[in-house]
Amino acid sequence: MSTSNLGGQFTFPGTSLTVRRMGYGAMQLAGRDGNKLVWGPPRDIDGAIAVLREAVASGVNHIDTSDFYGPHITNQLIRRALHPYPENLVIVTKVSARRGEDGSWLPAMSPEELTQAVHDNLRNLGLDALDVVNLRSMFAVHGPAEGSLEEPLTTLAELREKGLIRHIGLSNATRKQVEDGQKIVPIVCVQNSYNVANRADDPLIDELEKAGIAYVPFFPLGGFNPLQSSALSDVAQTLNATPMQVALAWLLHRSSNILLIPGTSSVEHLRENLGAAELTLPPDALKVLDQLVNKTDAAQH
């Protein structure tokens, strides 16, 4: 696939890091039997490496990962596939969780655990410093919940002062946590669950756009419960595209600070996702898509 502009470019605030808006999320590379557990090596290691190399060859220069994917597996695959890294490649990782022996996701937000996690990411990625580290709030595993992030953010800020981290973001965070976090350390991005049907973060996205801060939706296609909508399918059919391409294209249209990191372990699916960046949504299609918002999310505004 030839390199395209992949949705245009975005520069993280206060940094020299410029990425194409269509990136790649590496979570699905870990695990043999589907994505839900994200545990152990992939069934097809060569296939996983091929996906990473295809992404970069296609122009992707923003890869999202974490050392708790696998654990360790995804970062090791990234290093094996891409190291030494292209000069313009930005690797964003996240910390604050560890994996139980049963694959469960457990909080790991103490200074000692966060410091160890940063060193694990550095070692497995083969880096001297991490471009961006997102602190994932673990007060609730499956969505944002209030609670102070002062101590873990202070720990990451100290690691930044030591040169192990260049920039810091937040994940699974509330608006208040973002506001409070910015008083401790510059926040360059926020990574929360968001897609065409689930838009609880609409006000936050608008605020971040005004501040020039990136918003990176995880589960942009619904995650473990893929988006399904007859209206979405109808729009896709009229545009000769897939529903998932339309959902991704809508996100790129939604706001200029949105960066996409759809994940896949298939080269074919990767190419389909990247193709969404070339899709133009006409006004009538946008009108339909804008009305897909989940009633539960709409009630929160």
Side-chain angles (χ1 to χ4, degrees), residues 215-292:
Y215 183 91
V216 188
F218 64 78
F219 293 162
L221 300 176
F224 303 135
N225 300 295
L227 296 173
Q228 294 188 17
S229 162
S230 57
L232 180 63
S233 297
D234 289 345
V235 169
Q237 187 173 8
T238 64
L239 298 177
N240 194 29
T242 69
M244 299 300 98
Q245 285 178 319
V246 171
L248 291 173
W250 181 86
L251 286 167
L252 289 173
H253 181 273
R254 165 62 179 84
S255 184
S256 62
N257 65 326
I258 287 183
L259 309 180
L260 298 187
I261 50 168
T264 179
S265 58
S266 158
V267 169
E268 181 180 0
H269 190 203
L270 170 71
R271 291 170 178 165
E272 178 184 310
N273 287 342
L274 298 184
E278 307 306 310
L279 189 62
T280 298
L281 300 177
D284 57 338
L286 286 171
K287 184 177 180 179
V288 172
L289 297 170
D290 288 344
Q291 295 172 352
L292 288 182

Side-chain angles (χ1 to χ4, degrees), residues 69-250:
Y69 296 159
H72 313 304
I73 299 297
T74 296
N75 280 351
Q76 291 168 357
L77 285 170
I78 291 171
R79 180 176 184 175
R80 179 173 169 181
L82 302 175
H83 196 278
Y85 300 113
E87 187 174 337
N88 69 338
L89 181 65
V90 176
I91 298 177
V92 178
T93 190
K94 65 185 72 64
V95 294
S96 79
R98 61 183 177 84
R99 307 301 297 276
E101 293 183 2
D102 59 352
S104 55
W105 306 79
L106 305 171
M109 296 175 66
S110 72
E112 295 77 16
E113 289 170 318
L114 292 172
T115 301
Q116 183 61 55
V118 167
H119 282 284
D120 287 344
N121 276 276
L122 289 168
R123 181 183 67 255
N124 286 315
L125 287 168
L127 292 169
D128 296 322
L130 301 170
D131 288 328
V132 181
V133 173
N134 285 324
L135 172 68
R136 191 185 199 281
S137 174
M138 291 294 290
F139 294 111
V141 175
H142 299 296
E146 295 296 354
S148 175
L149 296 175
E150 180 177 0
E151 182 181 61
L153 268 180
T154 299
T155 297
L156 293 186
E158 292 171 352
L159 294 171
R160 179 173 174 260
E161 289 298 315
K162 293 179 180 179
L164 300 181
I165 296 171
R166 294 192 177 97
H167 307 287
I168 294 172
L170 289 174
S171 179
N172 202 41
T174 67
R175 291 169 73 186
K176 185 177 187 304
Q177 287 166 339
V178 175
E179 292 174 3
D180 292 345
Q182 288 172 299
K183 300 172 185 175
I184 299 169
V185 67
I187 301 297
V188 302
C189 58
V190 175
Q191 188 182 96
N192 281 359
S193 178
Y194 182 85
N195 54 56
V196 68
N198 301 290
R199 304 185 208 168
D201 266 1
D202 270 336
L204 177 59
I205 291 172
D206 294 338
E207 292 169 9
L208 294 175
E209 183 182 27
K210 292 176 183 177
I213 296 171
Y215 183 91
V216 188
F218 64 78
F219 293 162
L221 300 176
F224 303 135
N225 300 295
L227 296 173
Q228 294 188 17
S229 162
S230 57
L232 180 63
S233 297
D234 289 345
V235 169
Q237 187 173 8
T238 64
L239 298 177
N240 194 29
T242 69
M244 299 300 98
Q245 285 178 319
V246 171
L248 291 173
W250 181 86

Side-chain angles (χ1 to χ4, degrees), residues 22-26 29 51-52 55 60 62-64 260-264 270:
M22 179 69 80
Y24 173 74
L29 294 182
V51 168
L52 286 162
V60 168
H62 171 203
I63 293 178
D64 181 84
L260 298 187
I261 50 168
T264 179
L270 170 71

